[in-house]
Amino acid sequence: MLTSSPTPSAGLTKPNAPLADLFLQFLIVGAVSFGGGIIAYERILLVEKRKWLNADQFMAYLAISQTMPGLNSVNLAILTGDYLRGIKGSIIALLGLVLPGSAIILLLGLVYTALTDHAITVLLLTGIAAGATGLLAAVTYRIGDAHWKKPISLILIAATFVLMSIVKLPLLEVLAIMAPISLFIYRPKGSS
């Protein structure tokens, strides 16, 4: 069992999540989010639809997922599955999330191999890329939620963007710079 998962806040009870429902919900997310926006679909599922996590728990799991190797969405599914149902939940959530995308990619790979030079194939891939970019922008806006209204958050976002996109530092170096600054700024303030 993963032991680094955030525990629910005091006073919160762990929601009931049957394994079959956990698999089905992540299967749906894996199927409908093909091409992009998977984090948004996971948030809709976990926070809004099933209420298996609250907004703070979701952000905590997402932050942990981003520091782990691999895909954020997969890490998030594993952490959430572990929180809800232990190691079985992790495996079920992972299988549900990955299965549709794997099957679709296998099928598309076979079709793409047969139609590589066809004009419709190129147009289709261009359309998918544009749609994925739009979904990613929507997810970023939605996850930012209240932070878009705070000037200090906007400064941190802009600094991270500059370091990643203009200075072109590797992710780990950006995290090494921005994480301590963000933690210091958003540290819990004492009552005294």
Side-chain angles (χ1 to χ4, degrees), residues 46-109:
L46 298 171
V47 177
E48 299 170 18
K49 187 177 170 190
R50 293 293 184 199
K51 300 187 186 316
W52 286 336
L53 299 176
N54 64 37
D56 290 338
Q57 287 173 311
F58 179 83
M59 290 305 292
Y61 282 120
L62 181 59
I64 292 169
S65 299
Q66 291 171 333
T67 62
M68 297 167 62
L71 298 173
N72 297 337
S73 56
V74 171
N75 294 337
L76 184 61
I78 291 170
L79 289 171
T80 303
D82 179 60
Y83 165 66
L84 294 170
R85 296 299 305 261
I87 190 72
K88 286 181 187 174
S90 290
I91 293 169
I92 290 295
L94 173 65
L95 287 176
L97 188 69
V98 171
L99 201 58
S102 301
I104 293 170
I105 286 293
L106 181 63
L107 184 64
L108 288 178

Side-chain angles (χ1 to χ4, degrees), residues 2-190:
L2 300 172
T3 55
S4 60
S5 301
T7 55
S9 302
L12 292 178
T13 57
K14 193 181 292 188
N16 181 28
L19 287 174
D21 194 30
L22 193 62
F23 177 78
L24 180 65
Q25 296 305 319
F26 275 101
L27 187 77
I28 292 169
V29 168
V32 298
S33 63
F34 181 77
I38 194 166
I39 297 294
Y41 284 108
E42 285 184 322
R43 188 181 190 283
I44 290 168
L45 164 70
L46 298 171
V47 177
E48 299 170 18
K49 187 177 170 190
R50 293 293 184 199
K51 300 187 186 316
W52 286 336
L53 299 176
N54 64 37
D56 290 338
Q57 287 173 311
F58 179 83
M59 290 305 292
Y61 282 120
L62 181 59
I64 292 169
S65 299
Q66 291 171 333
T67 62
M68 297 167 62
L71 298 173
N72 297 337
S73 56
V74 171
N75 294 337
L76 184 61
I78 291 170
L79 289 171
T80 303
D82 179 60
Y83 165 66
L84 294 170
R85 296 299 305 261
I87 190 72
K88 286 181 187 174
S90 290
I91 293 169
I92 290 295
L94 173 65
L95 287 176
L97 188 69
V98 171
L99 201 58
S102 301
I104 293 170
I105 286 293
L106 181 63
L107 184 64
L108 288 178
L110 293 172
V111 171
Y112 182 73
T113 302
L115 303 172
T116 303
D117 296 327
H118 199 280
I120 292 178
T121 306
V122 174
L123 287 175
L124 202 64
L125 291 176
T126 303
I128 290 171
T133 303
L135 283 171
L136 190 59
V139 170
T140 303
Y141 178 78
R142 202 165 181 174
I143 287 177
D145 214 9
H147 290 282
W148 297 112
K149 298 170 189 160
K150 298 178 182 175
I152 191 69
S153 294
L154 292 176
I155 291 169
L156 292 172
I157 291 167
T160 304
F161 176 80
V162 167
L163 292 174
M164 288 290 298
S165 300
I166 297 173
V167 180
K168 298 199 182 297
L169 288 179
L171 176 63
L172 287 179
E173 291 180 24
V174 174
L175 282 173
I177 295 168
M178 296 307 296
I181 295 170
S182 299
L183 288 172
F184 177 76
I185 291 171
Y186 286 108
R187 72 189 180 284
K189 308 282 193 283

